[in-house]
Amino acid sequence: MSKPTLTSVPKIDRPTAAAAMEAVRTLIAWAGDDPDREGLRDTPKRVINAYSEWFRGYDLDPAEELSRTFEDVSGYDDMVILREIDVESHCEHHMAPFLGKAWVAYLPTDKVVGISKLVKVVEVFAKRLQTQETMTAQIADAIEDALKPRGVAIMVDAVHQCMSTRGVHHPNVSTITTQFTGEFKTNPSLQDRFLRVVGK
């Protein structure tokens, strides 16, 4: 049975593009500007187009991305690691960006997946309203569920603009989250190897 983090995002009745653009006009006016002035007249359309890109993860299925695997691994049984995958996400509390890098590793059993698919899984979860902690766990769960590896290791290091541009205004603080499963969780030497490769 799939873990709750892997279930499809419930389909909701989305507002129309016109309603979304009207909401942006309302926010512009609430901020104190005139949504009808020349520089802002096309902003609502630009914003909803940007939202379509920033939040495209709601239309993607991580299980589908990981569904095509390869069983001819010629006995390879050591770590597969992808370093410094770009993370561009938005926090669900303030809808402000958080930007950083992800490191993904797994210990294959009898199959591997194309490395671009691992990058895609990071994107699927990043392109949603998120907390970094949840996103880190979701990436690990998706790989665990699809590949049944001996273990998964995930690290995400990101700067949150909800903290750097508002609130406490500390722009140089990054947040690091990790998730380990299987042998990465039970074998400290594997964790150490992963962390040395990551450089943390």
Side-chain angles (χ1 to χ4, degrees):
M1 189 168 112
S2 292
K3 295 186 171 92
T5 52
L6 299 185
T7 56
S8 298
V9 177
K11 296 299 181 186
I12 63 169
D13 292 329
R14 295 189 182 188
T16 64
M21 286 191 286
E22 189 57 36
V24 176
R25 286 175 54 82
T26 299
L27 284 172
I28 291 170
W30 182 85
D33 214 323
D34 176 9
D36 289 318
R37 73 174 174 85
E38 183 180 2
L40 292 172
R41 203 170 295 142
D42 293 328
T43 295
K45 184 176 181 181
R46 294 189 187 103
V47 169
I48 68 165
N49 287 341
Y51 269 43
S52 293
E53 183 175 346
W54 288 336
F55 303 123
R56 67 180 181 271
Y58 288 111
D59 297 317
L60 301 172
D61 180 355
E64 184 178 334
E65 296 297 336
L66 293 170
S67 63
R68 186 179 180 203
T69 58
F70 305 94
E71 295 184 4
D72 183 9
V73 295
S74 298
Y76 185 83
D77 62 357
D78 203 359
M79 283 189 273
V80 177
I81 305 176
L82 274 71
R83 303 178 60 206
E84 299 190 353
I85 302 167
D86 288 327
V87 170
E88 299 173 352
S89 193
H90 286 73
C91 86
E92 62 186 36
H93 301 137
H94 301 96
M95 296 180 75
F98 63 91
L99 308 172
K101 301 286 185 182
W103 291 259
V104 173
Y106 72 100
L107 290 162
T109 50
D110 57 353
K111 58 187 174 182
V112 295
V113 70
I115 56 176
S116 67
K117 299 302 184 182
L118 295 171
V119 174
K120 193 71 174 179
V121 166
V122 173
E123 283 189 357
V124 167
F125 291 115
K127 298 301 185 182
R128 298 176 181 179
L129 291 169
Q130 281 287 21
T131 67
Q132 184 175 327
E133 296 88 341
T134 299
M135 181 184 72
T136 305
Q138 287 174 335
I139 296 166
D141 286 348
I143 297 168
E144 183 86 18
D145 192 64
L147 301 182
K148 304 293 188 289
R150 294 179 359 250
V152 176
I154 310 293
M155 175 177 284
V156 179
D157 184 353
V159 174
H160 292 245
Q161 294 189 20
C162 59
M163 190 170 81
S164 62
T165 64
R166 59 161 298 283
V168 296
H169 289 277
H170 280 267
N172 298 316
V173 176
S174 71
T175 299
I176 296 176
T177 49
T178 58
Q179 187 82 354
F180 300 105
T181 74
E183 291 182 25
F184 280 109
K185 194 176 186 72
T186 60
N187 187 336
S189 67
L190 276 175
Q191 273 193 37
D192 289 344
R193 277 184 63 199
F194 172 74
L195 294 172
R196 283 199 302 273
V197 170
V198 167
K200 299 292 183 187

